[in-house]
Each structure stands twice: as structure tokens, then as C-alpha cells.
Amino acid sequence: MTAGLAPLTMFGPDFPFAYDDWLRHPSGLGRLPVERHGTEVAVVGGGICGLVTAYELMRLGLKPVVYEAERLGGRMRSVRFADGLDTVADLGAMRFAPAATTLFHYVNRLGLRTEAFPNPLSPAAGTTFIDLNGRTHQVSSADDLPPVYREVGEAWQRTIADGAEPELIEAALRGRDVAALKTVWNRLVAELDDQSFYGFISRSKAFASFRHREIFGQVGFGAGGWDTDFPNSILEILRVVLTGAEHDQQRIVGGAQSLPDGLWKHASDSIFWPAGTSLATLHPHGPAPAVTSITRCGEGLRISTADGHRDYPAAVVTPQVRLLATRIDVEESLLPTEVWTAIERTHYMGASKVFVATDRPFWKDAQGPRLGMTLTDRLPRSMYLLDDGPDCPGIICLSYVWNDDSLKLGPLSLAERTDLLLRRIARIHPEVEIRARIIGEPVGITWEDEPNFLGAFRANLPGHYRYQHRLFGQFRSARNGLFLAGDDVSWFSGCSEGAVTTGLNAVWAVVRHLGGSSHRDNPGPGDVYDDIAPVTLPYS
């Protein structure tokens, strides 16, 4: 944080509601009629969005029934290596910015420990290798970069300054000045909705050559190269870079899944339940199985599984919305036509990861060959080195790739991927023999091949703002008790913060649907929606 300034947080910019303040307020998230206490509410999906939703509904005195097709955690999936090593790999979400203050509300509530994630050029990474066009540079910070890389970094800063008014937005975010933020951001939405990321930088005089744009795509900024994002809307990128979502990213020690697992087991402090009540104790046999259909039933909803069905007055649906068009048979009349159109048009990024465990974090040895976080234009694209201390095994993410790069790996077996990646990495680091250090079996994933995900995260294309507006606002307009939530419903593409905040939108909606309301001293997101609503773009 800059000295003397309030922190930069993911407050808006599309919907500048202070979810963190709402959560901390002593009046709580709402009140329900006494006769509604203990009412069952369906929560479809046991990822971080579903578990935050269920956790807060439980604290309000309702009885959430969580449905999960596979395992709790969703894309906060941490897996242990096959031979039982006490070491985990985060197959999905693995780095979180403190600017995500709503997410960190729960991280802190559970007392989870975090530490700096070894992003490129960060102190946590120590050494970063940049390998482009067959040449490798070893650097410790941005100051060590060859001149052309510094030129590219400066070009990006000038492009943002010329096209997005970052100083005004940052000041408004730090001061939580809704009026100032909306004035600038609403104008940018209207100006930039039809521009791709690549179009935005290619129109900039700062990116003087294709070479500069190519280097920017390969090396990027913050977490690395973003050329797989080039087709996406520039608004998606600006939401991340202007709100601090790339700054000071942290990893959760013990794995990201510690957060959803912790919420599942955490005892509620609610006066409506006996001491020690948790989501786990409310589900003594584990979560309910995969939902197969959602239909109307009188004035409520019928949730069906392979084992039968149950009826509820309300349901919150948190999986990727594309599953509503593929794997869950939802009665069409439950959602307006324009929302179905938005669901069908939602665009997703693919992503693949491969991890291996090593006998120890040997790259930290004082003597011997050097190894470090690596960015490359070769097949692995990005390699990260992680560890839990000198006496624990090391963890190497051999590759984290998106979209076309993910498709190259998708058809290969995990063993084939691992062998191929190690051979490519050996061309960058010929003096380091990683294979000799590997213990246990590799682990990996391709999210677009996972049948209950069908992609890693939403990423809007140019012109998709109107579709996102429909999905985000659905929680307030629905009258039948079916509410959509999840990071793909939110404004923040692929960010856990968006998953959490849309889950809280759904909590507000369920309370209102069941006859309750927010406390007058602590209005919820739906109460103030009209005052701070995302800008509406003309349709015709």
C-alpha cells in the first residue's frame, strides 16, 4: 500500500458495493421471519461460491442443502501426490490478491496462513528466467531486464494511461468514491466494450512494433504472458489491472482447498443453531449428489438427482452457467429468454496444469545449477517453483497454460505431458536434471475436459458486456426463487472474489424471497442496486 493512502481493493468498478463492510457490520446480513428459521434452501455446487452462500444462509438460521457432483472445493482443488506425500498441488485457483478483501474476510476468519506467491520478477520468485526466441535471460527484478523488455513494460503503462485513466480510477477505488468511479468507468465501458485486448494495444502509439506486441504477449505483466487473452474484451483486463488483482498475490499455505474445506467444517456462531453446528454437521452423509434437473413445483422448485428429488422454496445455482445448457436440465421458463441467451454466449478460457514433486526444493541450494520461475514461448509457457520449507518436498508446476496452449496438451496422457514438458524445459535449463529429483507421480488437469466444469473460467469477448449485465443482475430480478451465482456471473473473470461476492448477492436474494430484509443500518447489494447499478448500454 502506498504510504498514507487507503488500500487499493476490488471495489467495483462496475458495481461498487462494499461487500467487505457489509460482512463486518454488527447488524449482520439480514433478518428472516421467525417461521422461516430452519427452512431448507438448495445450494447447487460445492465450490467456494456455493460454500460461502451455504455458510451465510446457515448463519441466518436457514438450513442449506448443498449438492455437489464430485468433491467440495470446485476449482479450489488441491490434490496430494499419489504416493501419499504430505504435499499438495493447486490444480485450479492458486494465487490471491489481498485486494480481494471479501475473499480474505473468510481466509482470515478461518485463520489460514498465506505467503507470497512466486510470480515472475517478484521477490518470492528469487530468480526469473525469460526464454524467448531461443534466448534466455536470468534476472532478479524488472531493473535487470534487457532494454527491449523495459520498453515493452513502459509501453503497457503508457497505453493504460492514455486509454483508461488509471489515476482517476485508482483514486476513486482507494477513496471508495462511488460517484467519481462511476463517472470514469461508465464512460470507458461505452467506449471500449467492442475492443479486444489486442486491438487496445495495437492501436496504441506506445507499442511501436509487432515485436513489442509479441514480447508483451509472451512475457506480459504481473503473472506473466497474456497473449491467450488477446481475443478477449479489454474491459476484462482493465478490471483486473486497475483494481489491484495482480498485486502482491498470495498462496494459501496447505493448498487453496483449505478455504472451502474450512468453511464446510467451521462451526457457526449463529444463535439459531446449537453450538458446534456446521455445514458438515448439517450434512452427516456428505453433500447431496449431482443435480440432474431443476423444475417448478407449485410455488417452489424441485431439485432432482439420480437418487430422487426434493422441493425447496429457493435455490442458488453456482456451477459454471454453461452446465445449465449441457448437464443440468433446467425448465426453460425459470429464466428469462435474455438470460438464456447470455448463458449460451458466455465464453470460457481453457487451462491446463502439470505438477511434479521433488525430493526437496533443490533450486534454493547455495551451490549447483540455477533454476527459477520461467516464462517461455515454448510449450510449457510458464513454470513455477513452490515449497513448504527446506525439509519438505519441493513442488514444480511444470506448465500452466491457457486456450490454444492448453489444447496442445489436452489429448496427451499425463505421463506423455510430463515427459514432453521436461524435454522442453531441458532446452531452457540444460544444466539442471529435474527428472532425477522427482518423487511420486505427477498430477495435472485440463479444465475444459472436466465434465462438471467444461472450462477454467469465463472471459468475455468484445461486445459481451450486455450479456454479463444480464447474468449479474439476475439475482435481483428473479421472482421464482432461482438465483444464479459464481465467478462467471460476476464482473471479475476467473477471480475467486467474484465467486464470493455473487454468492453474497444470492444470500441477499434468498432472504428477500423468504420474506426477510436487510437491517436498515446495513443495506445489502440488492437494496442499493438502483443507485450503483452497472451502466446499461443501448441494445438497439
Side-chain angles (χ1 to χ4, degrees):
M1 181 175 73
T2 305
L5 294 178
L8 184 64
T9 67
M10 297 170 75
F11 173 73
D14 297 271
F15 184 69
F17 179 77
Y19 291 95
D20 49 0
D21 289 344
W22 191 48
L23 282 169
R24 288 193 296 260
H25 198 282
S27 297
L29 302 189
R31 299 170 174 175
L32 286 157
V34 174
E35 65 272 16
R36 285 295 195 178
H37 293 158
T39 298
E40 291 188 339
V41 174
V43 178
V44 181
I48 187 60
C49 177
L51 291 180
V52 164
T53 302
Y55 179 79
E56 295 297 351
L57 291 176
M58 174 180 64
R59 295 182 69 224
L60 287 165
L62 298 171
K63 185 178 181 181
V65 178
V66 177
Y67 290 79
E68 173 51 49
E70 295 185 32
R71 53 184 285 182
L72 294 171
R75 279 162 293 145
M76 281 191 173
R77 182 182 297 184
S78 305
V79 297
R80 298 191 182 279
F81 289 85
D83 62 354
L85 294 171
D86 189 24
T87 300
V88 301
D90 283 325
L91 298 185
M94 64 179 181
R95 48 193 170 190
F96 311 93
T101 49
T102 319
L103 175 76
F104 270 82
H105 170 86
Y106 295 100
V107 172
N108 296 332
R109 169 164 282 199
L110 296 178
L112 300 179
R113 187 163 63 90
T114 67
E115 61 183 25
F117 189 87
N119 273 327
L121 303 179
S122 69
T127 299
T128 299
F129 290 84
I130 298 176
D131 173 71
L132 293 177
N133 299 316
R135 297 187 61 189
T136 304
H137 301 278
Q138 179 181 343
V139 297
S140 297
S141 70
D143 294 337
D144 301 330
L145 289 169
V148 68
Y149 292 99
R150 293 200 296 271
E151 291 170 12
V152 169
E154 291 166 1
W156 172 240
Q157 294 302 318
R158 291 200 304 273
T159 299
I160 289 288
D162 292 342
E165 301 194 58
E167 292 184 358
L168 292 177
I169 289 179
E170 180 177 328
L173 288 170
R174 290 186 186 278
R176 300 207 164 181
D177 186 335
V178 173
L181 182 59
K182 296 289 286 181
T183 297
V184 180
W185 182 253
N186 288 0
R187 177 171 50 77
L188 289 176
V189 169
E191 292 176 358
L192 300 177
D193 174 49
D194 61 351
Q195 284 199 32
S196 69
F197 188 7
Y198 186 79
F200 184 73
I201 65 168
S202 66
R203 291 182 178 91
S204 170
K205 295 179 181 179
F207 279 95
S209 69
F210 179 80
R211 182 187 182 208
H212 284 73
R213 297 194 293 274
E214 180 183 54
I215 292 173
F216 178 70
Q218 298 288 351
V219 178
F221 54 90
W226 280 39
D227 57 355
T228 47
D229 261 299
F230 275 172
N232 296 331
S233 167
I234 183 59
L235 294 177
E236 295 279 57
I237 310 306
L238 294 179
R239 290 185 184 101
V240 171
V241 301
L242 296 178
T243 63
E246 286 280 295
H247 297 172
D248 190 28
Q249 290 181 325
Q250 304 285 300
R251 63 186 285 251
I252 296 176
V253 177
Q257 193 162 340
S258 301
L259 180 55
D261 284 352
L263 286 173
W264 181 254
K265 299 171 185 175
H266 192 260
S268 168
D269 56 0
S270 172
I271 62 172
F272 305 106
W273 293 103
T277 299
S278 66
L279 293 173
T281 63
L282 292 179
H283 298 76
H285 303 295
V291 172
T292 56
S293 71
I294 304 174
T295 56
R296 292 183 188 274
C297 179
E299 296 183 358
L301 300 166
R302 175 160 293 174
I303 306 295
S304 298
T305 71
D307 295 340
H309 64 263
R310 294 171 71 173
D311 298 338
Y312 301 91
V316 180
V317 179
T318 70
Q320 311 258 49
V321 293
R322 64 172 30 170
L323 295 184
L324 304 185
T326 55
R327 295 187 66 81
I328 303 175
D329 186 12
V330 179
E331 186 174 319
E332 195 166 280
S333 64
L334 288 173
L335 294 170
T337 300
E338 57 269 23
V339 172
W340 280 115
T341 301
I343 288 171
E344 294 285 359
R345 299 276 69 78
T346 298
H347 174 252
Y348 288 84
M349 297 280 282
S352 293
K353 288 183 182 179
V354 176
F355 289 86
V356 293
T358 61
D359 55 351
R360 70 177 195 278
F362 64 90
W363 50 87
K364 292 188 172 180
D365 292 351
Q367 304 295 325
R370 297 291 292 165
L371 188 67
M373 190 282 149
T374 302
L375 294 174
T376 179
D377 55 359
R378 304 177 203 246
L379 185 67
R381 290 305 303 270
S382 56
M383 180 178 73
Y384 297 92
L385 309 179
L386 306 110
D387 69 278
D388 295 320
D391 299 324
C392 299
I395 307 164
I396 302 180
C397 179
L398 293 176
S399 176
Y400 183 16
V401 295
W402 298 271
N403 279 16
D404 286 354
D405 291 321
S406 181
L407 292 174
K408 296 172 189 174
L409 296 173
L412 305 179
S413 70
L414 185 55
E416 290 173 321
R417 294 186 202 190
T418 305
D419 178 68
L420 182 59
L421 292 168
L422 287 169
R423 284 190 279 120
R424 295 294 185 269
I425 291 168
R427 297 176 185 176
I428 307 169
H429 303 286
E431 75 285 2
V432 181
E433 182 48 67
I434 296 176
R435 290 180 191 269
R437 300 284 190 173
I438 294 175
I439 55 176
E441 296 297 322
V443 296
I445 199 164
T446 295
W447 285 102
E448 57 267 37
D449 291 345
E450 293 290 301
N452 292 304
F453 295 91
L454 304 178
F457 53 85
R458 186 216 82 235
N460 282 337
L461 297 174
H464 279 195
Y465 174 88
R466 293 167 181 83
Y467 299 143
Q468 199 60 46
H469 195 300
R470 298 173 195 174
L471 291 174
F472 180 80
Q474 187 272 342
F475 82 97
R476 187 171 178 270
S477 60
R479 296 291 181 269
N480 52 31
L482 180 69
F483 306 106
L484 304 181
D487 68 287
D488 56 352
V489 171
S490 84
W491 292 105
F492 285 102
S493 173
C495 290
S496 300
E497 179 80 350
V500 172
T501 54
T502 55
L504 294 174
N505 287 348
V507 169
W508 176 89
V510 168
V511 169
R512 184 187 69 157
H513 185 72
L514 297 182
S517 63
S518 306
H519 192 282
R520 66 174 180 238
D521 295 334
N522 192 33
D527 300 311
V528 299
Y529 191 89
D530 289 340
D531 296 328
I532 61 173
V535 62
T536 300
L537 296 182
Y539 186 71
S540 58

